[in-house]
Amino acid sequence: MIFESHAHYDDRRFNPDREELLSSMQEHGIETVINVGSDLDGVKKTLELAGQYEFVYGAIGIHPSEISGLDEEVYEWLRAQCSHPKVVAIGEIGLDYYWDKEDEVKRSQRYWFCRQMELAREQGLPVIIHSRDAAEDTLKLVQGIHGEEIPGVVHCFSYSPEQAEEYVKMGYYIGIGGVITFKNARKLKETAAAIPLSHILLETDCPYLSPEPERGKRNSSLNLVYVAEEIARLRGISYEEVVDATRENARRLFRKVK
Ligand SMILES: [Zn+2]
């Protein structure tokens, strides 16, 4: 069965049918879902969903574009949630220079990324890293903080195969989602074929980034079949092999998942 390593079912776009959709996951072959918080409100909703559904686990953290809502008080609150039995990772955390281009904001992103990496180290939890238009700074920061001691995944990977190799060297996983099915995703297709299968995770980032043939519509974990099929095609292996390996990988990384 499929391990969905990155979803946002707390998003308001799931309000009309969240319960119906989540209740249908297991009959559609989705075994486990990691719901990922990106701001304080999202983290709270993530904990609620994890409490409601046995197969849903939570990642807690503040996204780089949401750090204006992060201070010492919130940080302490996050720390207190780490012992929750269904909190399995710190994330999503990282750097996003796509919208934020001012030096001061970038500096603040790096500061809170570092602090949340340290929280993961202290709590013995893996990290889920978001990095957009910040390839060099992200790699430098993760290497500088001894990323090899803090297991994690670079989610929705969008950089070069050479960059992916640097993360794999540190033991990191590479999260691959719907973008892999896009015709113009040449770099990502190359990456997915080149890195060891033992370092790939399946993810949607839903409601965003629907794969072909559902591109443009609201995404959900049910579309992971298209992602797994494309990875299998690129590597010349079977669909089952991709599903089984990525499930095993995810269970190795998110050790608290039962
Ligand atoms: Zn996300």
Side-chain angles (χ1 to χ4, degrees), residues 63-64 92-98 109 113 128-139 142 153-159 163 167:
H63 186 286
E92 53 188 296
I93 60 174
L95 302 177
D96 192 323
Y97 295 168
Y98 182 75
Q109 284 194 7
F113 180 25
I128 297 176
I129 294 178
H130 168 104
S131 178
R132 189 176 186 196
D133 283 359
E136 200 184 317
D137 278 9
T138 307
L139 185 61
V142 174
V153 53
V154 184
H155 113 86
C156 197
F157 192 81
S158 60
Y159 302 138
Q163 280 265 336
Y167 285 102

Side-chain angles (χ1 to χ4, degrees), residues 6 8 36 92 130 155 205:
H6 196 117
H8 299 285
V36 182
E92 53 188 296
H130 168 104
H155 113 86
D205 203 20

Side-chain angles (χ1 to χ4, degrees), residues 19-39:
E19 202 168 320
E20 198 185 325
L21 182 60
L22 284 172
S23 303
S24 76
M25 285 292 151
Q26 297 201 291
E27 72 195 58
H28 285 105
I30 310 298
E31 185 180 34
T32 307
V33 170
I34 309 273
N35 202 78
V36 182
S38 22
D39 58 14

Side-chain angles (χ1 to χ4, degrees), residues 229-253:
E229 272 168 4
E230 180 61 8
I231 296 173
R233 190 188 69 80
L234 289 164
R235 300 183 69 99
I237 58 176
S238 72
Y239 168 83
E240 287 73 23
E241 215 175 317
V242 172
V243 168
D244 291 348
T246 51
R247 173 185 181 273
E248 233 175 84
N249 298 343
R251 296 183 68 91
R252 206 182 309 124
L253 177 62

Side-chain angles (χ1 to χ4, degrees), residues 5-237:
S5 67
H6 196 117
H8 299 285
Y9 286 111
D10 53 290
D11 192 280
R12 66 159 70 86
R13 287 170 71 184
F14 291 110
N15 285 356
D17 59 346
R18 181 177 293 107
E19 202 168 320
E20 198 185 325
L21 182 60
L22 284 172
S23 303
S24 76
M25 285 292 151
Q26 297 201 291
E27 72 195 58
H28 285 105
I30 310 298
E31 185 180 34
T32 307
V33 170
I34 309 273
N35 202 78
V36 182
S38 22
D39 58 14
L40 183 56
D41 198 40
V43 168
K44 287 179 178 163
K45 287 188 188 141
T46 292
L47 294 175
E48 271 172 40
L49 288 172
Q52 234 174 315
Y53 298 93
E54 211 185 325
F55 66 96
V56 175
Y57 291 81
I60 62 168
I62 307 296
H63 186 286
S65 304
E66 304 290 342
I67 47 159
S68 57
L70 185 48
D71 55 23
E72 291 303 327
E73 200 182 321
V74 173
Y75 188 84
E76 281 312 314
W77 183 83
L78 286 173
R79 172 183 273 145
Q81 310 312 311
C82 289
S83 53
H84 188 298
K86 296 197 79 182
V87 168
V88 298
I90 300 293
E92 53 188 296
I93 60 174
L95 302 177
D96 192 323
Y97 295 168
Y98 182 75
W99 298 109
D100 294 316
K101 303 203 188 295
E102 293 138 49
D103 284 343
E104 203 189 316
V105 180
K106 288 182 178 175
R107 211 173 308 125
S108 181
Q109 284 194 7
R110 288 194 294 272
Y111 174 76
W112 285 112
F113 180 25
C114 244
R115 290 288 306 276
Q116 293 183 93
M117 287 289 283
E118 290 295 356
L119 181 61
R121 188 205 304 274
E122 165 202 305
Q123 298 291 327
L125 288 171
V127 291
I128 297 176
I129 294 178
H130 168 104
S131 178
R132 189 176 186 196
D133 283 359
E136 200 184 317
D137 278 9
T138 307
L139 185 61
K140 225 168 36 186
L141 193 146
V142 174
Q143 286 173 334
I145 203 168
H146 287 288
E148 73 279 3
E149 300 166 5
I150 310 167
V153 53
V154 184
H155 113 86
C156 197
F157 192 81
S158 60
Y159 302 138
S160 66
E162 294 75 30
Q163 280 265 336
E165 205 45 59
E166 291 300 318
Y167 285 102
V168 168
K169 265 191 228 160
M170 288 188 283
Y172 271 66
Y173 295 84
I174 304 297
I176 295 180
V179 176
I180 190 85
T181 65
F182 300 172
K183 282 209 174 63
N184 59 0
R186 194 182 49 82
K187 252 188 344 185
L188 183 60
K189 286 179 197 281
E190 240 176 79
T191 302
I195 57 174
L197 183 60
S198 57
H199 284 265
I200 297 178
L201 299 188
L202 294 182
E203 64 163 72
T204 55
D205 203 20
C206 66
Y208 311 105
L209 299 172
S210 259
E212 295 286 2
E214 302 290 323
R215 192 171 179 179
K217 298 184 198 157
R218 185 188 73 177
N219 200 4
S220 89
S221 311
L222 306 187
N223 290 330
L224 282 173
V225 287
Y226 303 116
V227 176
E229 272 168 4
E230 180 61 8
I231 296 173
R233 190 188 69 80
L234 289 164
R235 300 183 69 99
I237 58 176

